[in-house]
Amino acid sequence: MKTLLTNAWLVTVDAAMTEHRTGWLMVEDGRIAALGGGAPPQVSAGTQVRDMAGDIVMPGMVNPHCHMAMSLFRGLGEDVDDRLFRYMLPLERKFVSPEMVRVGSTLSALEMIMGGVTCVAEMYYHETEVADVIMASGMRGVVGQTLADFDPPDHRSFDEGFALCDALAGHCAGMDRVTAAIAPHAPYSTGMAVMERAALWHEAHQDTRLMIHLAETVAEVDWAVQTHGMTTTAVCAAAGVLKPGAIAAHALLLEDADIDILASTGTGVAHNARSNGKAGRGIARIEDMRRAGIPVGIATDGPMSGNTLDLFSQFGVVSIFGKLRGGSRKPLPTRDVIRMATIEGARVLGLEAQTGSLEVGKAADLIRIDLSAPRMQPIYDPYSVLVFAAMPTDVRDVMVDGVWLMRDRAVETLEPARVLADANQVAGRFRAEIVAIDAARAAKG
């Protein structure tokens, strides 16, 4: 099948940031076969031709850090200080199952597709279920099996956890859009020996990735200093988990030497500005990291932490935080934000040869942004509009590998009504358990 998109404002996000104000793009066998400006080429019979009506056509966005199944916890205990121990951990231990992960991950896939995210990196539990959800949804993804020492719901020992990583790698081996990863939760929740073992596992399994939460909290940094006499980043470097193919989520509390470590090891960073800010944890040194050559992508974190899984909700926060840190309007300009959301996020995941920009030979992973809303006009600079005015509802069409996942706001790979019904059924169980938890707490006084 060939598809020709005409009358498109092409925002390619290639190395030169090429734009074609009135452009066209040809898709053939799932790849971008040609693109340009002006009059489109003549096409053969059977080619699907779609007029983009002057709307922006840009690369699908990349979310390099997420916990998809946790969409079912969204908004739970929002203003409760001890919600982690009061609600979250008891609910996870009682209810996280393959079914729950499938239902929550499907809800997240639906939300991301409708918000223009075509590629996601995710870490949680029962990750073979998540891999299947991503394949069924039509998205592209990296899925990481979490390893942790806090009695996680799918393994009771690290040996069991590593066996799950082996199973995940085998499960994903034949998938063309999903890559497996090993995901030691964090330095403090795994320890040096487990991180060293995870690094060796990654080396032994070709075409996998390694994910870890890094330098996210003051408690983590204090743990590293007290336990190892060095920063948490240095601890991870000593364990060997910082390397090409590694994805460090947050990287919030960094010293200059830590930035040098991340740059020299080829580690990518997933920046979670909204989640960090909502937790009152601070503003990451994004400009410093990018100047050092570290690829930084824009991520949502889990929907329990950041609530939404569209990147549009992140853009303004990312740019504004950078400006506040720098004391000027200049840091993190809108072009850089869009690069971080697309090609730079793809670099973080090691997928930049496949996705992240509109270039001949790359996968046809693209989205269409409707420009008809009053808040989108007038347009002096498309990047400014995308960062500070656009919303998920402006995403009209979504394509991955040349296949339409959404056309005219209608998702074609998932059944939205069923997805929402399944999610609310699970949420009903959570509500009943929360009532029981609160009643037991009140009885104790």
Side-chain angles (χ1 to χ4, degrees):
M1 173 67 73
K2 295 181 181 180
T3 301
L4 176 65
L5 307 182
T6 64
N7 193 19
W9 187 337
L10 292 184
V11 175
T12 68
V13 201
D14 63 9
M17 297 297 283
T18 305
E19 291 178 48
H20 297 288
R21 184 63 182 83
T22 304
W24 54 269
L25 183 145
M26 176 70 79
V27 176
E28 185 172 353
D29 297 327
R31 297 274 160 181
I32 298 173
L35 58 83
Q42 296 295 313
V43 296
S44 57
T47 300
Q48 179 187 77
V49 180
R50 292 203 69 200
D51 187 334
M52 297 288 100
D55 289 338
I56 288 175
V57 173
M58 63 178 285
M61 291 185 283
V62 180
N63 180 356
H65 180 68
C66 181
H67 311 292
M68 291 173 65
M70 296 189 82
S71 58
L72 296 175
F73 297 116
R74 187 192 337 253
L76 189 157
E78 193 70 73
D79 300 315
V80 178
D81 278 341
D82 64 343
R83 71 170 180 167
L84 175 64
F85 294 99
R86 187 190 300 192
Y87 298 132
M88 293 305 306
L89 292 179
L91 286 170
E92 279 195 325
R93 288 169 186 146
K94 184 168 184 176
F95 291 107
V96 171
S97 64
E99 178 209 10
M100 175 267 178
V101 168
R102 175 183 54 78
V103 170
S105 297
T106 305
L107 177 63
S108 290
L110 177 64
E111 180 183 353
M112 283 190 280
I113 290 170
M114 297 186 75
V117 174
T118 56
C119 180
V120 61
E122 111 92 35
M123 58 185 286
Y124 199 57
Y125 309 107
H126 301 294
E127 285 296 301
T128 55
E129 294 287 336
V130 185
D132 290 343
V133 166
I134 290 175
M135 286 298 293
S137 73
M139 295 178 69
R140 193 179 303 282
V142 179
V143 294
Q145 172 62 46
T146 297
L147 303 171
D149 65 0
F150 45 69
D151 194 23
D154 66 350
H155 60 280
R156 291 294 175 266
S157 70
F158 282 118
D159 285 344
E160 288 181 8
F162 277 94
L164 290 174
C165 293
D166 291 340
L168 178 64
H171 189 77
C172 296
M175 296 181 174
D176 59 348
R177 286 180 283 102
V178 176
T179 302
I182 189 167
H185 173 264
Y188 62 87
S189 55
T190 52
M192 185 70 79
V194 172
M195 288 193 290
E196 290 173 346
R197 185 175 170 184
L200 292 173
W201 187 96
H202 175 250
E203 291 174 10
H205 292 77
Q206 293 185 348
D207 300 323
T208 64
R209 304 290 185 268
L210 189 153
M211 307 176 186
I212 190 166
H213 294 97
L214 177 66
E216 183 181 1
T217 66
V218 172
E220 177 191 337
V221 174
D222 290 345
W223 167 87
V225 172
Q226 293 166 10
T227 306
H228 296 283
M230 61 182 84
T231 68
T232 186
T233 303
V235 170
C236 287
V241 294
L242 302 183
K243 57 169 69 179
I247 304 154
H250 298 282
L252 180 60
L253 303 171
L254 301 180
E255 298 180 4
D256 290 348
D258 297 327
I259 292 176
D260 292 340
I261 289 171
L262 292 172
S264 64
T265 56
T267 302
V269 168
H271 175 41
N272 302 272
R274 181 179 168 120
S275 171
N276 294 339
K278 193 162 169 276
R281 289 178 176 151
I283 299 174
R285 297 174 61 182
I286 302 306
E287 291 272 270
D288 294 338
M289 283 190 271
R290 295 182 75 238
R291 273 195 296 267
I294 300 167
V296 181
I298 297 174
T300 62
D301 205 356
M304 188 201 75
S305 301
N307 294 71
T308 66
L309 295 178
D310 69 277
L311 293 191
F312 293 105
S313 297
Q314 310 294 324
F315 290 164
V317 180
V318 168
S319 186
I320 290 168
F321 277 12
K323 296 175 194 319
L324 286 172
R325 185 176 185 91
S328 164
R329 297 182 69 92
K330 292 182 179 179
L332 289 178
T334 54
R335 286 190 172 215
D336 286 10
V337 171
I338 295 303
R339 286 192 66 81
M340 291 167 65
T342 52
I343 189 60
E344 203 162 325
R347 280 183 62 204
V348 171
L349 305 187
L351 297 175
E352 69 272 23
Q354 300 178 47
T355 192
S357 61
L358 303 183
E359 300 182 70
V360 173
K362 283 195 172 185
D365 297 356
L366 54 86
I367 60 176
R368 174 186 179 184
I369 308 296
D370 189 336
L371 300 176
S372 64
R375 68 187 139 69
M376 304 286 275
Q377 299 291 333
I379 300 176
Y380 301 107
D381 173 15
Y383 303 100
S384 174
V385 168
L386 291 169
V387 170
F388 288 116
M391 305 174 85
T393 50
D394 298 313
V395 179
R396 185 165 174 180
D397 302 325
V398 176
M399 173 184 281
V400 173
D401 256 1
V403 176
W404 293 110
L405 309 191
M406 183 171 75
R407 283 190 282 190
D408 293 323
R409 294 294 296 166
V411 176
E412 301 189 353
T413 54
L414 298 171
E415 301 176 46
R418 179 177 177 181
V419 171
L420 297 179
D422 289 348
N424 279 294
Q425 184 178 52
V426 175
R429 301 175 208 163
F430 289 2
R431 291 188 186 96
E433 186 67 15
I434 289 167
V435 170
I437 290 171
D438 287 343
R441 186 183 180 90
K444 290 180 179 179

